[in-house]
C-alpha cells in the first residue's frame, strides 16, 4: 500500500563535495533520509517512471536500514526495476558500472567514503546520474532547493526485502533484484587488464598485499586478487564491518600505517595497496617507496598503454586543481589534452562523456578512467600490477625513472580540522580580497608570480563554478593552494596544498618535508594561520 508521509523540511540538506554527508545521529532523525531521497526522486522527475535504479552502499552502520526504506520509496515513486547489491553492498565504482551496464536512470550510493562509521561515525547519501557519475552541481543544487520545499514523501508499506538472498521480488509494480555486487565489476576488470601477465609476474616471484580496512572492497579484492589472480591470502581486513572494525577507512599513511610499516620493513612484498570505505580511493606503496597520489596519476598515464584496455593510448588527462602538476608534463609529452577541474569527481563526468580524457585523478588518492564515471581504487591497483608485470621493475625503479624523465613535483597537504567555520571562511575571504597584492611578494627567497581565485569553465556544457580555491603560483614552478573541504561533518577543515617542482637535473631525492619547508613558511605567513586559528601545527600532514 502506498503511503504519503507529511514532513517538515530539514535546513541542513545541502550536498557537499560528494553527496550529503552527516553524523549518523543526524541521519537517525525520523524522516531525515527519506526527505533527501524524495528530493532526489522529485528532481529526477518523470524520467524515473518505469526506469531502473541502482542502490547499494559501503556496508557501514545504517546501510541496511536506509536501503530498506529507499527500496520501498523507489517502488512508491514509479521506478520499474531496482537493483540492489547483495547484503546492501556495492562499492562506488561497482555501482557506477551497474548503472551504465543496466542503462539505469541513476543510483543511490550510501556512503560517507573514508569517514569513520558506526553509531558515532558518519553516514552519507550520494546520487549518481545515468552516465554512472556523481550528479553535477546544477542537479545537487536543485535537490537542495527541493528538499527545502518538500511537504511529503512517498513510501510503500511492504515487508522488508531480504537483502541477503539473490533473486527477484515484486513490490507492487516494481521488480527488486538482489544482485551479486562483485561479478559484473570483476568481469569488467578482466577486459581492461592482462590477468595472465599479472599471474605470470606472481609465478616469477612478484608479491602483493592488500588492506581492505574492513570496508567495502573486501569481497571484490578476495575475488579478484586471491581467486582470479592467485595471490594467496593477500587480503587483510577483508570482511566489511558496520564500524570498519573501529578503524578509519582512509587509505593514507596514518590510517594504513601497519601496511606502510610492512612495506618499509625487511622482506617487504613488491606492492602493498589499500582502498577506502566505499572503494573509490587507492593507496600505493612499493617496497621501500610510497607513491604520492599525484605522482601515481602521472605514472599511470605514462604507462597506461601497457594494459590491454589502454593499448591504443590515452585521449587526455584531467586532474583536480590542487593535484600536483606532475601529470601535466606527461600530457605534454604525449601530446594529449590536460584539464584542471575543481575538487570533486563530478567535474570529470562531462570530459569523460565527451571522450576528451581517458584518465582522471586527484591528490586525495582518487584515480580512475573512462571505464566507469567514478574514481576506482581496485582499478588503480590493478593498473599498477599490470605495469609491474609488463616492466618487471620495482615500484621504486619506475618512480625514479619517471622523475628522471619528467622532473619531480614534490607535493603535500596540511589539514587544519574542526576549525570554527567563521574563522576558516574569514581566512579564505581575506586571502581572496588580497589576491591582487600578492604577485611580487617574497618570503625567504620564495616569490609569488601569480594568484587567483580558481573558477572552472566547463568546456562541454559551458557551466561556470567559481570560488574553487585560492591558487598562488611561485617562481620556479612551485605553488600553494588554499581551500575549505566539502566533505567534513563538524566545523570547517582548511586544506593547504603545497607543491615544489624540481627539473630532471635538479634535487630529485630530497626528504618531502624538507623540500616543501620554504613553501610551507610562505603559505603560513600569507594566510596567517597560527594567528587566526590558534593552531601551531596542522592536524594531518599527507
Ligand atoms: C570526495 C570527492 C573527491 C575529493 C574528496 C575530498 O572523495 O569525490 O573529489 O577530492 O572528497 O574533498 P574535500 O577536499 O572537499 O574534503 P570521497 O572519496 O570522499 O568521495
Amino acid at each position: 500500500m502506498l503511503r504519503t508521509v507529511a514532513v517538515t523540511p530539514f535546513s541542513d540538506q545541502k550536498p557537499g563535495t560528494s553527496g550529503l554527508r552527516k553524523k549518523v545521529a543526524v541521519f537517525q532523525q525520523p524522516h531525515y533520509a527519506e526527505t533527501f531521497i524524495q528530493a532526489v526522486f522529485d528532481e529526477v522527475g518523470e524520467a524515473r517512471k518505469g526506469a531502473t535504479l541502482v542502490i547499494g552502499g559501503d556496508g557501514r552502520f545504517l546501510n541496511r536500514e536506509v536501503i530498506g526504506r529507499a527500496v520501498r520509496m523507489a517502488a512508491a515513486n514509479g521506478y520499474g526495476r531496482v537493483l540492489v547489491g547483495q547484503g546492501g553492498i556495492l562499492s562506488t565504482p561497482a555501482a557506477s558500472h551497474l548503472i551504465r551496464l543496466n542503462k539505469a536512470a541513476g543510483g543511490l550510493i550510501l556512503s560517507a567514503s573514508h569517514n569513520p562509521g558506526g553509531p558515532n561515525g558518519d553516514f552519507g547519501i550520494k546520487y549518481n546520474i545515468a552516465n554512472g557519475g556523481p550528479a553535477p552541481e546544477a542537479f545537487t543544487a536543485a535537490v537542495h532547493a527541493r528538499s527545502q520545499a518538500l511537504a511529503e514523501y512517498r513510501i510503500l508499506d511492504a515487508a522488508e526485502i531480504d537483502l541477503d538472498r539473490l533473486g527477484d521480488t515484486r513490490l507492487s509494480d516494481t521488480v527488486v533484484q538482489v544482485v551479486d555486487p562483485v561479478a559484473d565489476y570483476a568481469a569488467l576488470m578482466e577486459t581492461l587488464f592482462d590477468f595472465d601477465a599479472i599471474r605470470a609476474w606472481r609465478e616469477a616471484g612478484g608479491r602483493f598485499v592488500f588492506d581492505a580496512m574492513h570496508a567495502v572492497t573486501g569481497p571484490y579484492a578476495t575475488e579478484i586478487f586471491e581467486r582470479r589472480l592467485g595471490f594467496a591470502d593477500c587480503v587483510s581486513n577483508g570482511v566489511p564491518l558496520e564500524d570498519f572494525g573501529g578503524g578509519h577507512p582512509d587509505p593514507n599513511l596514518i590510517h594504513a600505517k601497519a601496511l606502510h610499516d610492512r612495506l618499509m620493513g625487511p622482506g617487504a612484498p613488491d606492492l602493498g595497496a589499500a582502498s577506502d570505505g566505499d572503494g573509490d580511493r587507492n593507496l600505493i606503496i612499493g617496497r621501500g617507496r610510497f607513491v604520492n597520489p599525484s605522482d601515481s596519476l602521472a605514472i599511470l598515464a605514462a604507462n597506461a598503454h601497457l594494459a590491454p584496455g589502454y593499448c591504443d593510448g590515452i585521449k587526455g588527462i584531467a586532474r583536480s586543481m590542487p593535484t600536483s602538476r606532475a601529470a601535466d608534463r606527461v600530457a605534454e609529452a604525449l601530446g594529449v589534452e590536460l584539464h584542471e577541474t575543481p575538487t570533486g569527481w563530478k567535474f570529470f563526468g562531462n570530459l569523460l562523456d565527451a571522450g576528451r580524457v581517458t584518465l582522471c585523478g586527484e591528490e586525495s588518492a582518487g584515480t580512475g578512467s573512462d571505464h566507469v564515471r567514478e574514481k576506482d581504487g581496485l582499478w588503480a591497483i590493478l593498473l599498477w600490477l599490470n605495469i609491474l608485470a609488463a616492466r618487471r621493475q620495482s615500484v621504486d625503479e619506475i618512480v625514479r625513472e619517471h622523475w628522471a624523465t619528467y622532473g619531480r613535483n614534490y607535493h603535500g597537504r596540511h589539514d587544519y580540522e574542526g576549525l570554527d567555520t567563521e574563522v576558516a571562511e574569514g581566512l579564505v575571504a581575506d586571502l581572496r580580497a588580497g589576491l591582487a597584492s600578492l604577485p611580487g611578494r617574497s618570503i625567504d627567497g620564495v616569490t609569488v608570480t601569480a594568484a587567483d581565485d580558481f573558477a572552472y569553465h566547463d568546456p562541454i556544457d559551458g557551466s561556470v563554478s567559481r570560488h574553487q580555491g585560492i591558487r598562488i603560483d611561485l617562481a620556479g614552478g612551485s605553488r600553494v593552494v588554499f581551500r575549505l573541504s566539502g566533505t567534513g561533518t563538524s566545523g570547517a577543515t582548511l586544506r593547504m596544498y603545497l607543491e615544489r617542482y624540481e627539473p630532471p637535473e635538479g634535487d630529485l631525492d630530497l626528504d618531502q618535508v624538507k623540500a616543501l619547508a620554504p613553501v610551507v613558511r610562505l603559505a603560513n605567513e600569507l594566510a596567517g594561520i597560527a594567528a587566526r586559528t590558534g593552531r601551531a601545527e596542522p592536524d594531518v600532514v599527507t
Side-chain angles (χ1 to χ4, degrees):
M1 193 185 71
L2 192 140
R3 189 156 56 94
T4 302
V5 181
V7 284
T8 311
F10 297 87
S11 61
D12 61 347
Q13 296 203 322
K14 187 170 194 292
T17 308
S18 185
L20 185 69
R21 231 175 251 188
K22 301 280 173 195
K23 291 275 167 223
V24 161
V26 175
F27 270 102
Q28 281 174 321
Q29 297 172 84
H31 314 307
Y32 189 87
E34 291 90 328
T35 302
F36 186 72
I37 292 169
Q38 186 65 55
V40 170
F41 288 168
D42 285 358
E43 190 48 33
V44 174
E46 285 304 301
R48 66 179 193 265
K49 296 289 157 60
T52 299
L53 179 74
V54 170
I55 306 181
D58 63 13
R60 69 179 59 224
F61 185 75
L62 274 195
N63 195 47
R64 283 173 177 263
E65 203 176 312
V66 175
I67 286 180
R69 282 182 257 155
V71 167
R72 288 184 290 119
M73 284 185 68
N77 277 276
Y79 283 95
R81 186 162 72 126
V82 179
L83 295 179
V84 194
Q86 188 179 23
I89 290 289
L90 275 182
S91 78
T92 288
S96 181
H97 179 51
L98 274 190
I99 293 170
R100 296 165 67 78
L101 190 65
N102 292 282
K103 302 199 167 21
L108 289 170
I109 305 174
L110 309 181
S111 171
S113 189
H114 54 287
N115 296 18
N120 300 316
D122 293 343
F123 191 75
I125 303 181
K126 305 189 277 188
Y127 181 71
N128 283 29
I129 58 175
N131 76 350
E137 271 195 331
F139 188 98
T140 54
V143 168
H144 178 229
R146 178 71 198 137
S147 75
Q148 300 309 290
L150 206 78
E152 57 185 38
Y153 67 85
R154 290 183 290 287
I155 190 162
L156 205 70
D157 270 335
E160 289 292 350
I161 294 288
D162 181 354
L163 291 178
D164 294 312
R165 199 171 50 85
L166 291 175
D168 298 3
T169 310
R170 187 167 269 284
L171 277 189
S172 184
D173 293 332
T174 308
V175 176
V176 182
Q177 294 181 281
V178 176
V179 299
D180 179 336
V182 177
D184 289 324
Y185 177 82
L188 174 66
M189 293 300 115
E190 292 228 32
T191 68
L192 299 174
F193 302 112
D194 189 341
F195 276 43
D196 284 337
I198 299 173
R199 279 188 285 260
W201 177 77
R202 170 181 59 74
E203 281 157 15
R207 287 164 60 221
F208 165 68
V209 292
F210 175 77
D211 185 351
M213 306 188 92
H214 284 306
V216 80
T217 51
Y220 296 85
T222 305
E223 173 63 25
I224 294 171
F225 298 139
E226 293 191 356
R227 289 202 198 102
R228 298 197 187 193
L229 290 171
F231 292 102
D233 300 323
C234 72
V235 177
S236 56
N237 303 318
V239 178
L241 297 176
E242 287 200 332
D243 65 350
F244 306 121
H248 193 145
D250 191 352
N252 61 27
L253 299 185
I254 296 152
H255 299 299
K257 187 168 183 306
L259 180 74
H260 175 261
D261 291 349
R262 181 161 176 204
L263 268 291
M264 297 300 147
D270 298 280
L271 181 67
S275 189
D276 69 332
D278 61 332
D280 54 7
R281 296 186 176 204
N282 68 88
L283 170 68
I284 299 291
I285 314 177
R287 186 187 315 115
R289 167 65 62 193
F290 161 67
V291 186
N292 173 291
S294 297
D295 277 348
S296 183
L297 171 65
I299 294 167
L300 293 181
N303 291 278
H305 61 278
L306 298 173
Y310 308 93
C311 60
D312 294 333
I314 58 171
K315 293 178 197 135
I317 309 172
R319 61 162 174 81
S320 67
M321 185 272 281
T323 302
S324 97
R325 290 169 293 184
D328 303 28
R329 296 174 194 279
V330 176
E332 199 185 339
L334 294 174
V336 299
E337 291 183 27
L338 184 284
H339 295 268
E340 186 175 48
T341 60
T343 294
W345 206 262
K346 58 189 173 225
F347 293 102
F348 295 135
N350 280 347
L351 294 166
L352 289 164
D353 284 352
R356 298 279 289 269
V357 300
T358 306
L359 295 197
C360 305
E362 298 187 284
E363 53 68 42
S364 56
T367 335
S369 87
D370 57 2
H371 68 291
V372 290
R373 292 295 179 272
E374 284 279 4
K375 53 189 185 274
D376 188 344
L378 297 192
W379 169 91
I381 297 160
L382 284 165
L383 182 47
W384 265 102
L385 280 170
N386 200 144
I387 292 167
L388 292 176
R391 289 185 54 165
R392 300 286 172 129
Q393 288 173 292
S394 70
V395 171
D396 184 54
E397 284 164 347
I398 291 172
V399 169
R400 284 174 187 279
E401 273 188 23
H402 188 89
W403 292 338
T405 308
Y406 299 95
R408 179 173 180 185
N409 291 69
Y410 291 93
H411 187 270
R413 192 176 92 190
H414 289 192
D415 291 341
Y416 293 83
E417 297 178 339
L419 297 179
D420 179 83
T421 305
E422 258 177 49
V423 168
E425 286 176 353
L427 186 151
V428 173
D430 285 353
L431 275 170
R432 187 176 290 131
L435 282 171
S437 68
L438 291 181
R441 265 191 78 176
S442 195
I443 295 172
D444 283 353
V446 183
T447 307
V448 177
T449 53
D452 73 349
D453 182 6
F454 180 56
Y456 178 59
H457 297 259
D458 186 311
I460 311 300
D461 67 12
S463 61
V464 181
S465 303
R466 301 190 192 280
H467 306 311
Q468 297 297 325
I470 304 292
R471 233 176 2 176
I472 302 176
D473 287 336
L474 309 171
S478 297
R479 193 171 72 142
V480 187
V481 171
F482 294 93
R483 61 179 282 280
L484 298 181
S485 159
T487 55
T489 55
S490 50
T493 296
L494 174 70
R495 300 205 198 283
M496 183 168 100
Y497 308 82
L498 309 141
E499 182 176 353
R500 163 175 168 183
Y501 178 65
E502 281 291 322
E505 60 282 6
D507 282 330
L508 300 180
D509 221 1
L510 295 175
D511 169 71
Q512 176 181 304
V513 174
K514 283 203 189 110
L516 292 173
V519 184
V520 171
R521 272 197 297 279
L522 172 129
N524 282 335
E525 190 150 328
L526 289 185
I529 293 182
R532 282 167 168 272
T533 65
R535 304 276 179 89
E537 297 290 336
D539 297 281
V540 181
V541 176
T542 48

